[in-house]
Amino acid sequence: MTDFNEAMSATAEAVSEVLDDILEQTEGPENRLLEAMRYSALGGGKRIRPFLVVASADLFGVARASSLRTAAAIEMIHCYSLIHDDLPAMDDDDLRRGRPTAHIKFDEATAILAGDALLTKAFEVLASAETHSNGEVRADLCLAYAKAAGDRGMVGGQMLDIVAEGHDVDVPEITRLQRMKTGALISVSCESGAILGRASASARTALRGYAHDIGLAFQIADDLLDVEGTAEEVGKATGKDEAAGKATFVSLLGADRAREQANMLVEQAVDQLNFFGDKAELLQELARFIVNRRS
Ligand code: GRG
């Protein structure tokens, strides 16, 4: 196993342990909610966003206990978005991470509530003194996460995606949509390290540039997988964008140009991190993983 693969697995395992702890089961009938939250948050996934939090925090020597709890918060927001995105009112998907989606495994109402509760639990964790002793750092984290997840970030991007259905969309529009829908959570994952580590303005600028580039590269890779991957590989239905007549980077640019663009963004992202020297090698590897992954 390479150092990068080892670091990815170790972070995934560590964040799962923290999530297991945070999402402790309760007595009584409300435990069904916890079961659905645990089903969605502990059922696999590449844990890319947690890795970004931990690896960016490591650049500034942040204590692991702080970065792992922050990583658990971003993963809970990500899992909430997946649960809600899979609902019949949204993408209506039956398969996620190679298993039945939350509303299939439980029911629609439980899936909606599990998503809501994962989102709110994330903010409970960010605001807790266990995550960081400094109240200003905790407030900065809450503000950054709220902006990334809300109307100017992920949820706003989802709205743009829905509004765009059945319309002609060009590359600048799709770029803005994807920057909000998937880029915002990726960006705030990297920003978390800078917030926890009280990083300098120049370190923040370098991380911001990196996050911007890998966010778009991630989305292009996702679009390519939707066209070229199989459901077994990807763990969710593929070919959905084309079937829905959805504009994507691949439909607008063609697969070859889209791949070139993703590779160019990755090399640019890698260069942005030269600012940190050898300390940023894992983040640079992650940028390459994002475009080479098969799931
Ligand atoms: C419905 C609130 C709400 C938001 C929807 C981000 C989003 C907005 C929906 C997620 C659905 C989706 C398939 C988006 C495309 C890109 C993406 C986020 C893919 C899944 O992320 P990965 O590959 O998944 O990191 P794993 O399972 O590895 O965590």
Side-chain angles (χ1 to χ4, degrees):
M1 222 193 237
T2 65
D3 287 353
F4 170 71
N5 287 329
E6 259 175 43
M8 277 285 276
S9 315
T11 306
E13 205 174 303
V15 81
S16 296
E17 278 169 23
V18 175
L19 284 167
D20 186 34
D21 224 36
I22 290 169
L23 301 172
E24 198 189 341
Q25 310 247 27
T26 63
E27 297 287 323
E30 75 275 23
N31 193 48
R32 181 173 171 80
L33 180 60
L34 263 300
E35 276 174 19
M37 292 162 79
R38 290 175 65 84
Y39 178 79
S40 302
L42 293 168
K46 296 178 291 298
R47 310 293 203 204
I48 287 174
R49 295 154 195 80
F51 184 82
L52 285 170
V53 173
V54 171
S56 62
D58 280 355
L59 292 176
F60 309 104
V62 173
R64 268 298 158 88
S66 288
S67 60
L68 282 173
R69 282 178 63 85
T70 309
I74 197 75
E75 187 66 13
M76 286 193 282
I77 297 178
H78 171 57
C79 293
Y80 128 75
S81 81
L82 299 180
I83 297 174
H84 281 197
D85 191 64
D86 290 335
L87 287 167
M90 300 257 183
D91 265 8
D92 195 10
D93 274 309
D94 292 353
L95 192 68
R96 167 72 62 187
R97 293 175 165 174
R99 302 188 311 162
T101 46
H103 66 276
I104 298 290
K105 175 79 182 169
F106 295 86
D107 56 70
E108 238 178 284
T110 307
I112 292 170
L113 293 177
D116 293 342
L118 282 169
L119 174 64
T120 41
K121 183 62 91 180
F123 284 93
E124 184 185 323
V125 168
L126 292 174
S128 143
E130 242 187 284
T131 299
H132 202 281
S133 56
N134 184 310
E136 207 177 311
V137 167
R138 301 199 300 272
D140 285 352
L141 284 175
C142 287
L143 183 62
Y145 276 58
K147 283 185 178 168
D151 58 306
R152 306 295 159 105
M154 181 179 71
V155 176
Q158 179 77 349
M159 188 76 253
L160 289 181
D161 203 8
I162 291 168
V163 170
E165 262 169 47
H167 290 86
D168 284 339
V169 182
D170 58 16
V171 171
E173 281 171 299
I174 204 93
T175 303
R176 174 162 180 262
L177 183 165
Q178 299 299 0
R179 280 283 313 130
M180 290 167 71
K181 186 177 151 184
T182 53
L185 278 203
I186 289 179
S187 288
V188 82
S189 304
C190 299
E191 197 188 339
S192 307
I195 295 174
L196 288 165
R198 312 198 114 194
S200 66
S202 40
R204 280 171 199 248
T205 305
L207 265 178
R208 205 170 290 136
Y210 165 82
H212 179 274
D213 293 339
I214 62 164
L216 274 188
F218 176 93
Q219 189 56 51
I220 297 174
D222 207 67
D223 293 347
L224 283 164
L225 278 174
D226 189 65
V227 175
E228 297 170 350
T230 63
E232 290 73 41
E233 280 177 318
V234 185
K236 63 180 181 184
T238 53
K240 289 206 70 173
D241 293 337
E242 198 182 348
K246 243 185 184 179
T248 67
F249 286 110
V250 175
S251 74
L252 293 174
L253 300 173
D256 290 344
R257 270 189 64 209
R259 192 171 294 104
E260 267 171 36
Q261 185 70 18
N263 288 332
M264 188 277 285
L265 284 162
V266 165
E267 288 320 310
Q268 198 169 284
V270 166
D271 288 346
Q272 309 261 18
L273 293 186
N274 288 338
F275 175 87
F276 298 101
D278 294 351
K279 280 199 294 184
E281 268 174 18
L282 287 177
L283 284 171
Q284 290 173 322
E285 284 291 318
L286 181 85
R288 299 202 170 95
F289 167 80
I290 272 176
V291 290
N292 294 326
R293 69 200 162 97
R294 293 301 302 163
S295 70

